[in-house]
């Protein structure tokens, strides 16, 4: 099969299966997912592009080899055998599950005529930016059919290996969101890199600490009648039962919605930290970089939306604008202070708290007040209540009836957290001739259709967190925080206001 898309040509598709055939025989089929997986929309995927510049001393044909990657992926599937199946719906419980195990994951082989140096030159910072890649990175991902009927045909796990004209390589990796979250996704990629490195060194590949692929609270089979009754008696604050089967049509965003990458350098974060310090507090809250950046964007975007209305000659009515004041985020529940899930837990373990601030606070409040709202939304989550909600979903005889009470409205801000995972760390596959690791020059989700939402901020860690001794020492010495990248999606009218603000403009990557 050959396909040309913006200088990227796909030449071969390989089907990937477990290296050890006995692995599949030992896995239950169909493979059950858990309640945290059930609530993820069936068409949503998690994907990222990892771009590697080749070392000048390495011959092009000896860097991130497709054949070795193919073998590494097969060994990886021995640890994640359910990723060889296809998503389906259980006919009785209507829960998503994985059937057809052994159908296979996929590896696509592609070439791009462009050189990574020319892509980097097209950015002011000389960094490789995702929107300068072919088709904003989408051409570097394996094709995914995003229609309801395609769910059972799409591979759950697919990789595209694209070699550039300079010998550099991009790995576009995509996994169905119903089987894992961003933390699980990054674990999968690190495990792939670990196995690739072991194969490179000719040792039989083994993951010292195998992943936990089975979901907790997986269903009613393990619940006694009494436990099931207790789980169903709970009144979940975030969910309700709806027995109507009306499928809401997908609302596509207008074409005026687009994504820009921003970078908050360490120097940008210091004034934010100062502005987020309550001058009257006896004890200061130490806000995380994620909370600081989220609070700053939450306030600035709301102010820009108000300005858009004023520029149209309208007088903003705070009572009508409450949907623009909503803030939603994601919390990884693996943490020992949360649901105490295993550290190597692969399935979804995300809880999505939301909150709302007043018009007065967002329009005129100090940053520390907004940061407090964001901080409280995360830190006031009742873990016992979260656990009971997931047990309630698990106990439902028909999972399709469990619906979210509150869908965050268009125009609010949803900030997803990829900063915790240090996405550049542990994803090096190859080394220079003298044995130095080659970390990625870029790790970023692509600007794909599924994430074109007016008011989405994907907050990402940066290459500064890769352990380079000199870099660490210099940053630590002056106490400068590591930079944070944000892929921010907004309506053009809001971008127009923000881009007239020199402070905001300085953040553009």
């Amino acid at each position: 099969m050959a396909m040309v898309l913006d200088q990227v040509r796909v030449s071969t598709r390989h089907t990937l299966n477990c290296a050890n055939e006995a692995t599949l025989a030992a896995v239950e089929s169909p493979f059950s997912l858990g309640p945290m997986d059930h609530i993820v929309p069936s068409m949503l995927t998690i994907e990222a592009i990892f771009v590697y510049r080749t070392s000048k001393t390495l011959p092009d044909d000896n860097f991130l080899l497709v054949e070795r990657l193919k073998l590494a992926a097969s060994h990886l599937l021995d640890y994640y055998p359910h990723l060889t199946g296809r998503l389906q719906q259980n006919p009785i419980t209507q829960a998503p599950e994985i059937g057809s195990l052994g159908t296979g994951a996929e590896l696509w082989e592609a070439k791009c005529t462009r050189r990574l140096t020319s892509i980097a030159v097209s950015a002011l910072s000389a960094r490789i930016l995702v929107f300068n890649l072919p088709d904003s990175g989408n051409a570097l991902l394996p094709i995914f059919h995003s229609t309801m009927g395609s769910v059972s045909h799409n591979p759950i796990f697919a990789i595209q290996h694209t070699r550039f004209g300079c010998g550099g390589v991009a790995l576009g990796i995509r996994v169905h969101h119903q089987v894992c979250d961003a933390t699980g996704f990054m674990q999968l990629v690190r495990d792939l890199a670990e196995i690739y490195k072991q194969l490179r060194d000719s040792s039989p590949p083994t993951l010292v600490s195998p992943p936990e692929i089975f979901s907790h609270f997986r269903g009613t089979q393990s619940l006694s009648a009494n436990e099931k009754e207790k789980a169903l008696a709970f009144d979940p604050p975030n969910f309700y039962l709806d027995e109507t089967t009306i499928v809401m049509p997908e609302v596509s965003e207008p074409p005026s919605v687009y994504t820009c990458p921003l970078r908050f350098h360490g120097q940008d974060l210091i004034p934010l930290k100062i502005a987020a310090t309550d001058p009257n507090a006896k004890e200061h809250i130490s806000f995380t970089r994620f909370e600081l950046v989220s609070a700053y964007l939450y306030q600035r975007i709301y102010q820009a939306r108000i300005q858009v209305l004023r520029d149209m000659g309208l007088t903003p009515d705070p009572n009508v604008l409450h949907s623009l004041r909503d803030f939603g985020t994601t919390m990884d529940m693996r943490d020992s202070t949360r649901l105490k899930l295993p550290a190597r837990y692969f399935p979804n373990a995300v809880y999505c708290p939301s909150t709302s601030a007043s018009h007065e606070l967002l329009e005129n409040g100090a940053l520390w007040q907004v940061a407090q709202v964001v901080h409280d939304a995360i830190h006031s989550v009742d873990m016992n209540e979260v656990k009971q909600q997931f047990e309630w979903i698990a106990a439902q005889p028909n999972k399709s009836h469990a619906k979210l009470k509150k869908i965050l409205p268009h125009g609010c801000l949803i900030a997803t957290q990829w900063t915790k995972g240090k996405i550049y760390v542990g994803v090096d596959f190859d080394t220079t001739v003298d044995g130095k690791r080659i970390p990625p020059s870029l790790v970023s989700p692509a600007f794909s259709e599924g994430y074109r939402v007016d008011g989405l901020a994907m907050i990402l860690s940066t290459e500064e967190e890769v352990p380079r001794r000199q870099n660490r020492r210099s940053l630590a010495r002056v106490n400068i925080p590591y930079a944070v990248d944000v892929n921010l999606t907004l309506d053009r009218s809001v971008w127009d206001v923000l881009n007239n603000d020199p402070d905001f403009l300085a953040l553009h990557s």
Side-chain angles (χ1 to χ4, degrees):
M1 138 184 194
M3 173 191 68
V4 178
L5 178 59
D6 196 356
Q7 308 117 358
V8 176
R9 188 181 185 86
V10 174
S11 56
T12 319
R13 271 170 79 170
H14 306 274
T15 299
L16 304 169
N17 256 304
C18 300
N20 178 359
E21 284 179 23
T23 311
L24 272 186
V27 184
E28 61 170 15
S29 182
F31 184 94
S32 304
L33 301 174
M36 291 197 233
D37 308 309
H38 299 163
I39 57 173
V40 175
S42 62
M43 295 316 306
L44 212 52
T45 56
I46 293 204
E47 56 220 14
I49 293 152
F50 300 77
V51 181
Y52 300 85
R53 289 178 163 117
T54 182
S55 163
K56 291 186 178 68
T57 55
L58 273 180
D60 291 355
D61 57 0
N62 202 25
F63 177 65
L64 235 168
L65 306 175
V66 173
E67 283 309 311
R68 191 177 293 149
L69 185 70
K70 193 172 146 192
L71 186 57
S74 292
H75 283 288
L76 178 76
L77 290 169
D78 283 342
Y79 292 95
Y80 297 89
H82 60 311
L83 300 187
T84 64
R86 294 294 180 268
L87 281 167
Q88 61 185 40
Q89 219 170 11
N90 183 290
I92 298 163
T93 65
Q94 299 299 306
E97 60 185 17
I98 301 172
S100 309
L101 267 64
T103 306
E106 287 185 357
L107 172 63
W108 296 37
E109 215 175 317
K111 284 195 162 46
C112 177
T113 51
R114 293 178 68 187
R115 300 175 71 83
L116 289 172
T117 43
S118 70
I119 290 171
V121 164
S122 56
L124 289 170
S125 60
R127 286 189 294 119
I128 295 169
L129 300 175
V130 69
F131 74 102
N132 288 332
L133 293 169
D135 190 26
S136 294
N138 287 294
L140 304 176
L141 283 164
I143 282 181
F144 175 80
H145 300 288
S146 56
T147 58
M148 289 306 285
S150 307
V151 171
S152 57
H153 302 293
N154 286 316
I156 291 173
F157 171 40
I159 306 169
Q160 183 171 313
H161 175 291
T162 306
R163 189 166 305 277
F164 289 87
C166 55
V169 168
L171 296 181
I173 302 179
R174 174 183 275 134
V175 181
H176 256 289
H177 201 336
Q178 279 192 329
V179 301
C180 70
D181 54 26
T183 304
F185 175 89
M186 287 307 303
Q187 173 182 301
L188 182 76
V189 179
R190 287 191 186 101
D191 287 351
L192 177 64
E194 175 59 32
I195 290 171
Y196 181 97
K197 284 181 277 204
Q198 290 183 23
L199 288 170
R200 189 186 67 205
D201 301 334
S202 309
S203 55
T206 312
L207 293 177
V208 179
S209 171
E212 173 64 74
I213 63 169
F214 297 104
S215 179
H216 284 220
F217 333 111
R218 271 202 311 165
T220 51
Q221 57 270 56
S222 57
L223 292 179
S224 67
N226 190 26
E227 286 172 325
K228 190 175 174 185
E229 193 181 328
K230 189 182 166 194
L232 289 170
F234 177 67
D235 181 17
N238 295 17
F239 295 92
Y240 73 104
L241 286 179
D242 178 4
E243 296 186 15
T244 58
T245 52
I246 299 165
V247 178
M248 293 297 287
E250 289 283 312
V251 181
S252 58
E253 288 290 345
S256 60
V257 169
Y258 67 96
T259 310
C260 266
L262 308 176
R263 172 160 286 208
F264 288 78
H265 291 279
Q267 262 86 359
D268 301 320
L269 292 170
I270 291 169
L272 287 191
K273 217 170 177 177
I274 294 164
T277 304
D278 176 357
N280 306 314
K282 289 188 174 67
E283 284 183 28
H284 293 301
I285 294 171
S286 183
F287 296 117
T288 63
R289 290 174 305 159
F290 174 76
E291 288 169 341
L292 285 175
V293 170
S294 296
Y296 173 77
L297 293 174
Y298 182 24
Q299 184 166 35
R300 291 295 295 108
I301 291 165
Y302 182 74
Q303 290 168 345
R305 290 194 193 280
I306 298 293
Q307 190 58 49
V308 168
L309 295 173
R310 290 196 176 115
D311 291 347
M312 292 163 67
L314 301 170
T315 305
D317 178 355
N319 299 324
V320 178
L321 299 173
H322 53 85
S323 65
L324 302 182
R325 298 197 293 274
D326 281 356
F327 173 83
T329 186
T330 54
M331 277 174 80
D332 182 354
M333 303 310 276
R334 289 168 182 78
D335 198 297
S336 58
T337 63
R338 294 176 182 174
L339 289 188
K340 300 181 177 61
L341 295 165
R344 300 265 295 139
Y345 189 74
F346 176 67
N348 282 288
V350 165
Y351 180 72
C352 302
S354 61
T355 189
S356 188
S358 69
H359 169 78
E360 293 70 31
L361 178 55
L362 290 173
E363 175 87 306
N364 302 309
L367 185 63
W368 64 264
Q369 293 171 301
V370 184
Q372 184 76 57
V373 171
V374 171
H375 179 84
D376 289 348
I378 295 166
H379 290 269
S380 63
V381 172
D382 180 333
M383 294 305 150
N384 200 38
E385 206 170 71
V386 172
K387 189 166 174 285
Q388 284 178 285
Q389 291 203 85
F390 288 124
E391 286 169 349
W392 177 84
I393 294 169
Q396 291 303 324
N398 185 326
K399 308 290 186 276
S400 67
H401 291 165
K403 305 272 170 63
L404 272 169
K405 280 182 184 170
K406 183 178 181 181
I407 304 288
L408 283 173
H410 285 222
C412 70
L413 179 66
I414 299 168
T416 65
Q417 187 169 3
W418 286 60
T419 41
K420 223 176 165 191
K422 296 187 176 178
I423 56 178
Y424 285 78
V425 176
V427 289
D428 49 287
F429 286 78
D430 252 317
T431 59
T432 60
V433 171
D434 54 357
K436 285 196 180 117
R437 294 175 178 189
I438 302 176
S441 297
L442 171 74
V443 178
S444 173
F447 292 172
S448 61
E449 274 305 302
Y451 290 93
R452 265 187 22 143
V453 178
D454 178 16
L456 176 65
M458 298 180 96
I459 301 182
L460 314 154
S461 58
T462 66
E463 75 287 346
E464 288 184 2
E465 296 190 15
V466 174
R468 292 192 185 96
R469 286 187 189 88
Q470 197 178 350
N471 175 40
R472 289 200 153 213
R473 271 206 304 272
S474 60
L475 282 176
R477 194 166 56 240
V478 286
N479 205 17
I480 295 173
Y482 292 126
V484 168
D485 279 342
V486 183
N487 288 355
L488 182 61
T489 310
L490 293 168
D491 187 82
R492 184 180 297 276
S493 61
V494 186
W495 278 121
D496 288 345
V497 173
L498 292 173
N499 289 339
N500 279 318
D501 174 348
D503 289 341
F504 198 88
L505 206 54
L507 298 169
H508 279 260
S509 295

